[in-house]
Amino acid sequence: MASYLSFPLCVLLHLRACAWADTVLIVSNPPTAVAIGIVVKRLFKKRVCFILQDLYPDLAVHLGSIAGRSFFVRTMRRLNTVGFRVLDHIVVLGEDMRSYLLKHYQIDSHKLSLITNWGDMKRIVTLAKDNPW
């Protein structure tokens, strides 16, 4: 928990190093990284693109790891709701995540892009063992 809370604070302390940038790219690990996006957008007036790898606390609730109505879950969902509305763009890794965000967080579809992490196995083939590599 200390790491989840301290990481965004440490990042925010170093944001002046990227004052020259007009767009900031943030990855969703740790889950509280969305708070960085909110601050960057509101205080520093930067465009923010958020790459959403995992969605907490939703994932943990669906797996039964934490109770769906706990204080932590309610707080994190509120943070996500505010963050997703404030951010300029959100990149998701799959169609299921895109659909989930549209349904549960009511995000404008134009703010979402789907970019998968997976290779196209029809285009990427194993080379023969006698190649120079």
Side-chain angles (χ1 to χ4, degrees):
M1 187 59 89
S3 175
Y4 280 9
L5 298 175
S6 64
F7 177 77
L9 293 174
C10 291
V11 170
L12 291 172
L13 291 173
H14 291 88
L15 273 179
R16 66 178 171 262
C18 63
W20 56 269
D22 62 345
T23 302
V24 175
L25 180 66
I26 299 173
V27 180
S28 65
N29 298 324
T32 52
V34 72
I36 299 167
I38 295 168
V39 172
V40 167
K41 181 70 179 169
R42 291 203 170 143
L43 292 182
F44 298 100
K45 309 294 188 228
K46 306 286 185 183
R47 283 185 39 81
V48 178
C49 181
F50 193 71
I51 300 176
L52 186 60
Q53 303 268 341
D54 299 306
L55 184 58
Y56 286 98
D58 303 57
L59 178 61
V61 170
H62 287 292
L63 291 173
S65 300
I66 56 177
R69 296 295 306 153
S70 70
F71 174 76
F72 172 75
V73 169
R74 291 191 322 267
T75 302
M76 284 300 300
R77 282 192 175 146
R78 181 75 179 136
L79 180 64
N80 285 339
T81 299
V82 170
F84 295 158
R85 288 189 181 135
V86 169
L87 302 172
D88 294 292
H89 202 78
I90 302 169
V91 175
V92 295
L93 302 179
E95 188 56 46
D96 290 340
M97 178 67 81
R98 184 180 188 285
S99 298
Y100 187 88
L101 290 177
L102 291 170
K103 180 179 179 181
H104 296 281
Y105 286 93
Q106 291 79 43
I107 298 172
D108 294 328
S109 61
H110 74 277
K111 290 176 85 170
L112 296 173
S113 292
L114 181 113
I115 303 175
T116 64
N117 280 351
W118 328 118
D120 183 349
M121 298 311 291
K122 293 176 183 164
R123 294 180 61 198
I124 300 172
V125 295
T126 305
L127 296 176
K129 291 192 184 263
D130 62 349
N131 72 68
W133 291 98

